Amino acid sequence: MGLDFSVVPGYLGVLAMGAGWTMAITICAGVLSFFGGIVFAVIALYGHWSVRLPVRAFAFLFMGTPLLLQLFLIYFGLIQIGIDLPAFVAGVIGLGLHFAVYNSELIQASILAVDKGQYEGARTLGLSRGQTLRRVVIPQAVRAVIPPMGNNMIALLKDSALVSVIGVMELTLAAQQAISRTYRPFEFYLAAAFCYYVVNLALEAGLRHLERRIAASR
Amino acid sequence: MDTELILRVYPFFLEAAWVTIQLSVLTALLGLACGALGAAARLSRLAAFRFVGAVYVSIIRGTPALIQVFILYFGGPQIGIQLDSFAAGTIALGVNIGAYMTETIRGAILSVDKGQTEAARTLGLSRWKTMRKVVLPQAARLMIRPLGVNINALIKGTALVAPISVVELTYTAQRFIGSTYKPFEMFLLSGLLYMAIIYVVGQGVHWLDRRARIT
């Protein structure tokens, strides 16, 4: 039936709103995965076994299974135990937890790589174990993994398309809506891909800038 | 945990796992082919090839794989490409992982010591012969492990064909969640099968890597 891109401009508003939601999801899930990653890392390394083992098992399960499957588990699982969250919240939780697990792996390695002298020095100065971790070790560890965590954020942006499957109104679902009215899948998926690509390029440029600043401040 | 239900539905999951394995193997083969071509293009002497390779990697890695699957499956018929969901999914995912493999293969080739190329060229080997007899055998050893990481991601990535109704593990889990309202059991059942596949492939990669290692 050929291609006809002249139908796209009529739906620019729908696509723009979808892109806005995609960014909102990426930011919310990104923040959740950042702090979740730190919490998981500290528990996996220092937690009492009664919390360490469940967290390790959870990480093992989430690293070995597809994100889409996890989204189904969280979305339908929460409904089953009586928590009926809006799809947006379920999507943010799913994406956030998935990437928290990956961030946690990075942070764990980084915490272990912080010079032992830092820990000993802080303890000698009278800081408690918790204070030493919170004020000395973790800030250094997190700083060192910002570049690889940034790569996870870029992956998160692209994977946010998956929450369209559980009905979150974002860019991919916005494109689908336009398609259901116009029957022009090629044009609208391509338009959506273009939006993702532009945001992705901006994110990459920002990340490179951040990396240079971190490298310069060392 | 509803074990009775699990015992009742597991044959469907085994069948679905077989589809996931087929998808994974075909995607990996196509991905390796695209990766090899992509790396050759990115390392070419011709600027036009380098450009095409760079555009391929940038566009594919810069957009969601799910959208790529949708473009080929739903948009393909508009430009005269009519594929069933399995074929469309395999091709889209193969081309997708190929972009990541391009970077892996290129990285491995570039990390072979430059002195090797220089020495071979000095000894009178042609550019092509240098690549084939000196650089590639060394690069091949270096790329086994990172390609293993790509393949691990690809196996989990095959779930992306569930939305276009290929009856693989994630689709099957979704269907049974809908009909039984037991999301946790269905997640565990399909999750364990994914992990089993990934484990076996991981062991294979590990074995290859050890064999290829020069001590």
Side-chain angles (χ1 to χ4, degrees), chain A residues 111-126:
Chain A
I111 285 177
L112 295 176
V114 169
D115 186 20
K116 255 195 121 77
Q118 297 280 334
Y119 184 85
E120 284 159 8
R123 290 308 300 273
T124 313
L125 287 170

Side-chain angles (χ1 to χ4, degrees), chain B residues 122-195:
Chain B
T122 312
L123 288 170
L125 270 68
S126 70
R127 245 181 79 94
W128 169 237
K129 263 209 158 145
T130 303
M131 186 46 95
R132 205 162 47 104
K133 301 257 180 199
V134 181
V135 178
L136 280 183
Q138 298 181 62
R141 294 192 170 94
L142 294 172
M143 64 180 82
I144 292 172
R145 226 185 256 251
L147 281 178
V149 174
N150 289 146
I151 290 173
N152 179 313
L154 156 177
I155 294 170
K156 288 179 267 177
T158 57
L160 294 189
V161 299
I164 59 168
S165 310
V166 178
V167 187
E168 43 68 81
L169 270 174
T170 298
Y171 181 88
T172 304
Q174 185 191 3
R175 212 186 66 192
F176 277 105
I177 289 172
S179 61
T180 63
Y181 300 105
K182 297 277 182 196
F184 187 71
E185 282 86 347
M186 299 306 137
F187 172 76
L188 265 191
L189 201 49
S190 45
L192 289 175
L193 286 167
Y194 273 112
M195 289 197 282

